Amino acid sequence: MSAARGGLSALPVLPGEVVLEAARGVRHRGAGGSVRGTLLCTNVRVAFVPGAQPPSFSPFLQSDYSVALRCIRTLVAASSFTKPTVLTATSTLSFIPEELAVFCRDFRLLRFHFPENGLGLQAFRVANAIAQAWETATWPGDSGSHVDATMGDDEDEEEGSPPTLLFESLQDWERELQRLGAVGWRVSAVNERFDMAPSLPRYLWVPSALLDHDLKRTFAHFQERRVARLCWHHPNGSDLLRAAGFHAASEPGSEDIRCLEVLLGAGCRPCVLADTAELPSPPDIQLAHLRLRALCLPGAAADEKWLSALEGTRWLEHIRACLRKAVEVASLLAGRRCSVVLQEPSDRDLSCLLASLVQLLADPHARSLRGFQSLVQREWVAAGHPFPQRLGLRRDSPREESPVFLLFLDCTWQLLRQFPAAFGFTEAYLLALHDSAFLPYCSTFLFSCQRQRGRGGVQQPRTQTYTPVSSRWDPPGSTVCRLPPVWAWGLRYSRQQRARFRNPAWDPGPVGTPDAVDPQNTGTPSSTWSGSSSGAVLALSKGSLTPQPFPWRSGRPPPRLLRWAPSLETLSDRGGDPIPPPPRGLLLPCAAGPSVRLWRRCYLRGLPEAQHGRLAPCPALLLEELALLQERLRAWQQDGAHAEPASSPLAPSR
């Protein structure tokens, strides 16, 4: 354990974290070169501590040289004399490994090389220890441990920066509703005990005209009792709602139908039902992600066939479909005063993705760093997205794995690439959030809903906001905090790393409304709905609005197509007609083939040769890279001088 203690001298440990094995003199091989240090295996992670720590090394929980056991997908041991062997807890390593390759779920590939200078026994032990610990890894919350929030350095907050809302208290929901200016809506505590809908949050935004007594009538008419509720309000008066699919076996009475009409906004304004049938299903997303992962492995495809193989994964096609649908919904909300209800059978996967993308397109506040974090908390965490199952963090449900949240992050990166000045965060921030989804050190992605989060051992803090103060996670009135949220970046990233999260070119601009655009724009609210359309129920599909009966009524006239929502195809196929400018604050991305690209810095991290020119996104890393090159040049010159003989027969005569 002396080696372990020496290696841990620069590595903070979690409460309950125990070092199982360690090996000194190991070399970590990456895109930045070879680094010598100590490889440690604990019951929580595989950590590598460089001997001569480079400027980029961070002694926090997150490091380019470490990986959580839960984040490991495959472990391979290699030797010059045998074929590479995939290690498991039941496998027997029959040779001394020379190299250990760790394939991570976040697309990283960590390579550890064991030199032949007496490391054979240490290499054998640490490889077996990692395989055993990986198979038996437990959640930090299962053992009742918690993270000391004082391990990080001070959090550098901008003055006047709004806090990140966690949406676990009534105050957070009321604060956000007030920011939106949603007149006619209120915060309901009807589900405060999770007895109406276990997977919904404690508090819901519902119409002020609907009392809780009447609201309770509507839960039984939606699948999983996930009733329709407000998730965003547009300044022009339009509302974005989300709900599960209508329950096929429900037969509401006249009073229930009245309550449902009030809830959906039908009767006083048009109600547009936008389902997720045009989006990829969770199994489709999982299949595309597996194909993408296989393609991004070293030597997976020849260079001349790589682009065609990339399209064959259908991952980029799924991104295009999500962006198209989000543009249709956002344009409809900005151009016409209506209620748009996002419907998905479960309301826990694609509704989260679509609702978030629509708000990124239409709400500049959601594109700020704190606003984006609050958006993820409300539309994903509080709304009950099953993170453990979808991210594959629990081995008891492999068939439920589908990285819907990672698809959303990729869609966000596409928007960031097309509108770099419209976002308050950078690609480095999205990469950090992508990698943090697999960390067991944060509570954000460890639970499937607020009810499960509250039952996960020690009672979670009820405070709704996270404002870092000296990097301490000390909610007022809370006694014990097991795990901090993922937004406590100071625990895992240094001040220099966090500085790269903020976009210096960000220009939020004023928040405009559709009423402020050119009156010739046919999408203004004053010229969209005719009197007969008020109170109608319509379905949005492929940019067309189709009138349809209320779900539990019949006898309406046959459907009539109304073209409104500008899909990307209709925007580009208008010939010589001028395209009306979008409302201020609304982003309309292009989802055509070349406009949607592969997120190379995320998916190709396991291919060092593909990262040339992509390792220095800031001046600090450029200086680090330059220093490394100068050091290599000096070492090469010294080696060349020592190797040159005193008198060479090939030396020219003087």
Side-chain angles (χ1 to χ4, degrees), residues 79-95:
S79 173
S80 304
F81 307 99
T82 60
K83 295 181 179 179
T85 302
V86 178
L87 300 182
T88 63
T90 58
S91 63
T92 301
L93 190 60
S94 58
F95 60 91

Side-chain angles (χ1 to χ4, degrees), residues 13-32:
V13 294
L14 301 171
E17 185 176 12
V18 179
V19 177
L20 304 177
E21 286 292 343
R24 283 182 172 177
V26 180
R27 286 195 173 274
H28 173 274
R29 293 181 172 179

Side-chain angles (χ1 to χ4, degrees), residues 244-312:
F246 297 119
H247 205 294
S250 65
E251 296 181 358
S254 58
E255 185 63 21
D256 290 356
I257 291 180
R258 182 192 66 82
C259 296
L260 287 167
E261 287 183 333
V262 174
L263 183 64
L264 298 176
C268 60
R269 66 174 63 179
C271 174
V272 180
L273 303 179
D275 59 33
T276 58
E278 303 169 25
L279 302 182
S281 64
D284 293 337
I285 296 174
Q286 171 66 1
L287 180 59
H289 195 258
L290 290 177
R291 290 174 175 173
L292 178 65
R293 183 183 300 279
L295 181 64
C296 294
L297 294 177
D303 293 341
E304 62 273 9
K305 298 181 179 180
W306 200 88
L307 291 178
S308 59
L310 175 62
E311 286 297 330

Side-chain angles (χ1 to χ4, degrees), residues 615-631:
L615 299 176
C618 66
L621 286 185
L622 280 174
L623 292 176
E624 177 184 337
E625 226 177 89
L626 179 60
L628 179 63
L629 290 175
Q630 290 175 341
E631 180 182 354

Side-chain angles (χ1 to χ4, degrees), residues 96-395:
I96 301 297
E98 298 177 3
E99 186 176 22
L100 191 65
V102 182
F103 294 86
C104 308
R105 292 179 178 271
D106 56 12
F107 284 81
R108 287 187 299 159
L109 174 58
L110 304 181
R111 294 180 178 271
F112 302 105
H113 179 70
F114 304 98
E116 300 179 359
N117 53 351
L119 278 183
L121 183 58
Q122 296 184 42
F124 184 83
R125 288 179 176 177
V126 76
N128 280 304
I130 294 174
Q132 295 286 339
W134 170 42
E135 291 286 346
T136 59
T138 59
W139 299 86
D142 295 341
S143 59
S145 62
H146 66 278
V147 174
D148 183 7
T150 62
M151 288 191 298
D153 60 354
D154 292 342
E155 186 86 28
D156 47 343
E157 288 296 300
E158 292 182 354
E159 185 177 357
S161 176
T164 297
L165 305 181
L166 300 185
F167 293 98
E168 293 178 356
S169 69
L170 181 65
Q171 291 76 15
D172 272 7
W173 291 93
E174 290 179 340
R175 180 184 303 181
E176 182 67 8
L177 189 65
Q178 183 179 8
R179 184 192 71 82
L180 293 175
V183 179
W185 295 87
R186 66 180 179 89
V187 181
S188 172
V190 68
N191 195 45
E192 191 170 20
R193 297 183 178 179
F194 305 107
D195 52 347
M196 299 305 300
S199 62
L200 283 180
R202 290 186 177 91
Y203 307 101
L204 309 172
W205 288 333
V206 299
S208 302
L210 196 62
L211 302 178
D212 284 351
H213 174 75
D214 296 329
L215 179 62
K216 292 180 180 179
R217 293 175 171 268
T218 63
F219 281 86
H221 304 299
F222 294 88
Q223 297 184 28
E224 300 185 22
R225 301 180 64 86
R226 293 181 63 88
V227 71
R229 69 274 182 201
L230 178 73
C231 63
W232 186 66
H233 175 79
H234 194 277
N236 74 345
S238 297
D239 296 318
L240 179 66
L241 294 82
R242 54 181 294 186
F246 297 119
H247 205 294
S250 65
E251 296 181 358
S254 58
E255 185 63 21
D256 290 356
I257 291 180
R258 182 192 66 82
C259 296
L260 287 167
E261 287 183 333
V262 174
L263 183 64
L264 298 176
C268 60
R269 66 174 63 179
C271 174
V272 180
L273 303 179
D275 59 33
T276 58
E278 303 169 25
L279 302 182
S281 64
D284 293 337
I285 296 174
Q286 171 66 1
L287 180 59
H289 195 258
L290 290 177
R291 290 174 175 173
L292 178 65
R293 183 183 300 279
L295 181 64
C296 294
L297 294 177
D303 293 341
E304 62 273 9
K305 298 181 179 180
W306 200 88
L307 291 178
S308 59
L310 175 62
E311 286 297 330
T313 65
R314 302 192 65 184
W315 182 257
L316 299 183
E317 179 182 339
H318 295 338
I319 294 175
R320 297 185 190 105
C322 295
L323 292 179
R324 290 191 185 99
K325 191 69 175 182
V327 166
E328 292 178 356
V329 175
S331 301
L332 183 59
L333 288 168
R336 298 194 176 191
R337 192 166 296 145
C338 60
S339 294
V340 178
V341 183
L342 305 179
Q343 275 198 300
E344 181 190 12
S346 66
D347 184 40
R348 302 182 70 177
D349 290 304
L350 298 174
S351 287
C352 301
L353 184 149
L354 189 55
S356 302
L357 283 182
V358 169
Q359 294 177 59
L360 283 178
L361 295 179
D363 189 356
H365 174 74
R367 300 194 288 268
S368 66
L369 191 145
R370 300 300 173 194
F372 182 80
Q373 294 180 169
S374 298
L375 175 68
V376 173
Q377 279 289 147
R378 185 177 71 251
E379 300 300 340
W380 293 85
V381 181
H385 178 67
F387 284 105
Q389 293 81 6
R390 292 307 190 211
L391 293 175
L393 301 179
R394 293 195 177 275
R395 297 187 177 94

Side-chain angles (χ1 to χ4, degrees), residues 44-45 62 67-73 104-108 138-140 286 289 293 387-394 401-407 409 430-442 444-446 486 492 602-603 605:
V44 177
R45 54 181 163 165
Q62 179 75 0
V67 58
L69 293 176
R70 289 282 183 170
C71 187
I72 298 176
R73 178 173 289 272
C104 308
R105 292 179 178 271
D106 56 12
F107 284 81
R108 287 187 299 159
T138 59
W139 299 86
Q286 171 66 1
H289 195 258
R293 183 183 300 279
F387 284 105
Q389 293 81 6
R390 292 307 190 211
L391 293 175
L393 301 179
R394 293 195 177 275
E401 184 175 354
S402 179
V404 183
F405 182 68
L406 304 187
L407 178 64
L409 294 182
L430 290 179
L431 275 173
L433 184 55
H434 178 280
D435 297 347
S436 299
F438 300 98
L439 293 182
Y441 321 130
C442 307
T444 305
F445 305 119
L446 296 186
V486 71
R492 309 186 306 282
C602 180
Y603 302 133
R605 284 182 286 181

